[in-house]
Amino acid sequence: MALTNLNRQLNTLRQADLKKSRRSSRRRLNIILAVVLFLLVGVVWPGWNIYHSSRKLLAVSTQLSAAAKTENLDQIKPELAVSKQSMNDLNGSLNWLIWLRVIPFVGGYYSDAKHFANAASDEMTAAETVVEVLEPYKGELGLTGQAITGQDRVAQMVKIMDKLLPSLDKISPSLQKASNEVAGIDTGKYPGSLAGKSLRPRIEEVRNLIIAANSAVSDNRQLIELLPDALGESKPKTYLLLFQNDKELRATGGFITAYAFLKLDKGHLSTTTSDDIYRLDEQLLKACQTKICPLTPPAPIVKYLPEVDGKPRTAWSLRDSNISPDLPTFAQEFERMYAMLGQGLPFDGIITIDTQVVEELIAATGPIEAGGTTYSAQTDPRCNCPDVIYELEHYAEIASQGEAGRKAILGDLMQQLLAKVLGAGVTKLPEFADVAFNLANDKHIMFYMHNDQLEQALSQLDWTGEIHRTNGDYLHINDSNFAGGKSNLYVDETVTDDISISSGVAKHTLTIKYENPQPFNTWLNGILRDYVRIYVPEGSQLVSSDGSDVIVTTQNDAALGKTYFEAFITVRPQNSRILSFTYTAPVQITGGKYPLLVQRQPGAKDHHYIIKINGSKKAEFDLSADKQLNLSF
């Protein structure tokens, strides 16, 4: 009996263990099935769909690009619809991977992909609206597949802008949504290249183009509305183009080397006159021989820029008229002097460019031939600089020496550049637009327009070279090369500004280190004679200074609302100099924040800046454009 009961108990235990084992096996099987199902539904299936959608999107995007090249709306419209649907399919596939957002590191890249996909859909919606608006005018606008090249393309763009202006409110919301999607993406976390192909620069380019498209329509609407008239749609416009040689730096960007008159008639551009600035000064001298001309040179020119024979200058010339760091002030002075020629002002505004403009455009277009000379972006061993820079500097040297038979190359060069840009095709235009915007943002292109509304619109973009007024602290270092060849090609500056804040008083110790590592090279790299001005808030007080070849003086420019400290130094090739200033600035300091606007000098290199407060580093950057800082302390 006892043995029977024992067997029953053992059988019961065996059955219980067997059931437990079966339950455990089923649980493991369920987990495995769940994992497999998750991988299939959450990874493999959406991954396959993403791959398939991406390949399809790439194919239809190629077709859309081909249709865009034909400039045929009848082909663009259906391809755009297919591309948008493909993008929406890709976006839907990405939604299945939403769980990736919670995974560290990976989640950030997934979010970026979603933002770019959403932005692309929004951009395509905006493009559909553009096509819808332009479709009734496709014949008039030449959007029927007929090849349009050269200057006719500018005329076409002017007409297209004119048709789109009334419909900007329909286009703007989609562009705004796209811009919001990508605005927060940190492109710095991406590697520069992947599998031998450029990655981060490409991501940055796409992101910036999306943001720029919205900014152009939303933030700069006034400018867009004024552009057709500025490009000569209603009546011809003439602009005076001044070439400033930034390698021989002056207050507003460089020594004025050459000029050209640009005429725009319904988008068609032509150069009516082009010559070096010395020819214009010769005309001014001749005109002033028969009448009294108020051309007394400013004190710095008398003191630091003597005649070739060493005597002080007694007259002021057009080529040295850009003594003010404020472009509108210089432009008005230039026009006052130009009016003495007795020709009035036969232009509607002034546009300034420097060598960087020509260099970057040629880097994008490839070599340009103008006036019998080929200009390229390849390094020239004669100057250890791009070939185009050497040729432009050589031209400037020939012009300054008044050599007979010198050619006026500016107008021809710009016309050839424009022809190369416009002949590159529709798909290259965004790249050229990006180059042009960056050049204007970095003050290599600046504008002074007689149309007040146009000038105001350009000023909002900070494209007018103004010295800004500000309620906070301010710093602008301005160098003028008053002889030293083209040594600004080689001279670098490192700026350290240590701000000591105590009892609500800001005391600056500003140090500028000038370095020229290159050997002497005749007319290219000589001894830099640098007239230096440090623009600071009006009412600032100089405490001490060191390193100047002359006694530093304090001047006031009430028109600009600034005080400036005036110094002069010489920097020899393969040598360095240090210039320092200690001063107090009348700045209101509240809330633990210190506002400081650092303005870049047009034409200057991207000099290195270090900003400290009470000895602690707060900011370090290369100054490529004006920089507004709000520093904690």
Side-chain angles (χ1 to χ4, degrees):
M1 187 69 178
L3 183 60
T4 301
N5 289 337
L6 180 60
N7 287 334
R8 287 175 181 169
Q9 291 176 0
L10 289 172
N11 287 334
T12 302
L13 289 173
R14 289 191 192 100
Q15 290 175 3
D17 287 342
L18 183 59
K19 289 180 180 179
K20 184 177 180 181
S21 177
R22 287 173 179 172
R23 285 196 300 270
S24 178
S25 296
R26 284 197 297 269
R27 190 178 298 113
R28 285 196 297 271
L29 180 61
N30 288 337
I31 291 173
I32 292 172
L33 289 174
V35 170
V36 170
L37 182 62
F38 172 76
L39 290 173
L40 287 173
V41 176
V43 179
V44 177
W45 184 67
W48 167 254
N49 283 339
I50 289 172
Y51 172 75
H52 179 72
S53 299
S54 298
R55 286 182 61 87
K56 183 180 178 181
L57 180 61
L58 180 62
V60 297
S61 297
T62 301
Q63 294 171 355
L64 177 60
S65 177
K69 289 179 181 179
T70 67
E71 299 184 45
N72 189 334
L73 284 187
D74 290 338
Q75 293 183 22
I76 294 172
K77 188 174 182 179
E79 294 295 346
L80 186 59
V82 174
S83 295
K84 185 179 180 182
Q85 183 58 54
S86 298
M87 177 54 69
N88 290 338
D89 291 343
L90 175 60
N91 211 351
S93 298
L94 284 169
N95 288 337
W96 285 91
L97 295 176
I98 192 171
W99 55 272
L100 288 174
R101 295 180 63 178
V102 301
I103 299 178
F105 184 73
V106 175
Y109 293 103
Y110 169 79
S111 295
D112 289 352
K114 276 292 294 178
H115 285 309
F116 272 119
N118 291 335
S121 294
D122 293 328
E123 291 282 311
M124 289 181 184
T125 298
E128 287 180 328
T129 305
V130 169
V131 170
E132 179 184 340
V133 171
L134 297 180
E135 192 168 21
Y137 312 102
K138 58 186 178 184
E140 176 187 349
L141 298 174
L143 299 175
T144 56
Q146 299 174 353
I148 296 178
T149 59
Q151 303 231 19
D152 288 338
R153 188 179 298 281
V154 180
Q156 179 194 42
M157 291 170 60
V158 171
K159 291 179 181 179
I160 289 174
M161 280 192 294
D162 192 50
K163 299 299 183 186
L164 287 176
L165 284 175
S167 301
L168 289 182
D169 289 336
K170 296 180 181 179
I171 302 168
S172 181
S174 297
L175 296 179
Q176 182 67 63
K177 287 176 62 180
S179 179
N180 292 342
E181 287 284 351
V182 302
I185 292 177
D186 177 17
T187 59
K189 65 187 178 186
Y190 291 90
S193 61
L194 185 65
K197 295 185 178 180
S198 175
L199 182 61
R200 183 172 61 243
R202 181 58 180 160
I203 293 174
E204 290 175 345
E205 180 184 359
V206 173
R207 174 183 176 273
N208 293 340
L209 283 174
I210 292 172
I211 294 173
N214 172 63
S215 178
V217 173
S218 300
D219 301 335
N220 306 309
R221 180 162 181 168
Q222 182 185 14
L223 178 60
I224 292 177
E225 291 173 344
L226 294 168
L227 269 179
D229 181 68
L231 294 173
E233 176 63 16
S234 56
K235 64 178 182 179
K237 300 290 184 181
T238 299
Y239 300 103
L240 176 61
L241 182 68
L242 293 178
F243 182 82
Q244 298 191 109
N245 185 1
D246 50 305
K247 308 312 184 241
E248 188 175 346
L249 192 61
R250 292 291 177 90
T252 61
F255 177 73
I256 305 171
T257 301
Y259 72 98
F261 285 104
L262 306 179
K263 183 178 180 181
L264 277 162
D265 187 0
K266 299 188 183 301
H268 290 85
L269 183 144
S270 60
T271 55
T272 57
T273 305
S274 174
D275 217 328
D276 66 62
I277 195 67
Y278 293 91
R279 304 280 197 187
L280 208 56
D281 271 332
E282 290 166 5
Q283 295 179 36
L284 180 61
L285 178 62
K286 185 177 180 180
C288 290
Q289 288 176 344
T290 59
K291 59 184 178 182
I292 297 176
C293 293
L295 290 173
T296 302
I301 289 180
V302 175
K303 187 174 182 180
Y304 299 118
L305 191 60
E307 298 282 3
V308 177
D309 59 7
K311 295 180 180 179
R313 291 184 183 267
T314 57
W316 198 5
S317 58
L318 284 163
R319 62 183 180 272
D320 296 322
S321 58
N322 56 345
I323 191 69
S324 172
D326 181 68
L327 184 76
T329 301
F330 149 58
Q332 292 164 16
E333 188 61 59
F334 186 95
E335 291 185 347
R336 180 187 73 85
M337 297 168 73
Y338 186 92
M340 295 177 193
L341 297 174
Q343 303 171 10
L345 295 178
F347 48 87
D348 298 286
I350 295 175
I351 303 171
T352 68
I353 65 170
D354 61 25
T355 64
Q356 192 75 14
V357 175
V358 182
E359 179 187 345
E360 292 199 22
L361 286 177
I362 286 178
T365 64
I368 296 287
E369 185 173 343
T373 300
T374 299
Y375 300 86
S376 76
Q378 293 182 346
T379 300
D380 191 319
R382 292 174 293 181
C383 64
N384 192 27
C385 65
D387 167 76
V388 60
I389 298 300
Y390 180 85
E391 293 296 346
L392 289 172
E393 298 311 320
H394 186 248
Y395 162 76
E397 181 67 11
I398 290 173
S400 68
Q401 294 177 0
E403 293 186 16
R406 62 189 189 264
K407 298 177 181 179
I409 55 95
L410 180 59
D412 190 17
L413 180 58
M414 295 309 296
Q415 192 124 355
Q416 294 301 321
L417 264 176
L418 182 63
K420 195 80 175 281
V421 168
L422 296 177
V426 173
T427 55
K428 288 281 289 183
L429 290 182
E431 177 187 346
F432 291 131
D434 187 52
V435 170
F437 273 104
N438 289 335
L439 287 168
N441 288 336
D442 296 349
K443 301 186 182 181
H444 297 294
I445 305 174
M446 296 183 293
F447 303 86
Y448 175 75
M449 299 289 107
H450 293 170
N451 182 316
D452 291 339
Q453 288 182 310
L454 181 58
E455 176 73 1
Q456 181 182 5
L458 291 166
S459 177
Q460 290 176 355
L461 290 170
D462 200 19
W463 289 0
T464 52
E466 298 167 76
I467 292 293
H468 293 310
R469 293 178 178 269
T470 177
N471 293 325
D473 207 345
Y474 178 88
L475 176 62
H476 171 68
I477 299 173
N478 195 273
D479 297 288
S480 290
N481 182 341
F482 280 165
K486 323 303 176 189
S487 51
N488 294 106
L489 177 64
Y490 305 110
V491 174
D492 293 310
E493 297 177 28
T494 302
V495 180
T496 303
D497 188 9
D498 194 347
I499 309 167
S500 174
I501 300 175
S502 177
S503 302
V505 176
K507 184 177 181 180
H508 291 254
T509 300
L510 178 70
T511 304
I512 312 168
K513 184 177 182 180
Y514 295 82
E515 294 182 277
N516 185 345
Q518 295 293 319
F520 177 82
N521 185 345
T522 57
W523 53 270
L524 264 179
N525 191 26
I527 300 173
L528 172 64
R529 303 180 68 253
D530 193 4
Y531 171 54
V532 184
R533 285 170 291 179
I534 311 299
Y535 283 80
V536 293
E538 192 169 23
S540 296
Q541 299 290 322
L542 182 66
V543 177
S544 63
S545 64
D546 189 41
S548 175
D549 293 348
V550 300
I551 296 175
V552 173
T553 59
T554 300
Q555 308 290 340
N556 192 61
D557 193 328
L560 300 182
K562 297 288 183 286
T563 291
Y564 63 91
F565 308 127
E566 192 178 51
F568 189 86
I569 63 169
T570 53
V571 184
R572 296 176 179 275
Q574 294 184 311
N575 215 321
S576 64
R577 289 288 301 271
I578 294 178
L579 188 59
S580 64
F581 306 83
T582 301
Y583 65 95
T584 58
V587 180
Q588 296 293 327
I589 306 169
T590 58
K593 290 290 185 180
Y594 194 86
L596 172 64
L597 173 61
V598 184
Q599 274 204 272
R600 168 192 172 91
Q601 179 180 3
K605 287 184 176 181
D606 298 350
H607 295 311
H608 192 67
Y609 278 68
I610 299 171
I611 308 296
K612 300 179 180 180
I613 294 184
N614 296 330
S616 176
K617 186 191 297 184
K618 297 297 181 180
E620 185 170 3
F621 51 88
D622 292 333
L623 188 63
S624 61
D626 294 351
K627 196 170 188 69
Q628 177 65 61
L629 302 170
N630 287 291
L631 307 173
S632 300
F633 67 95

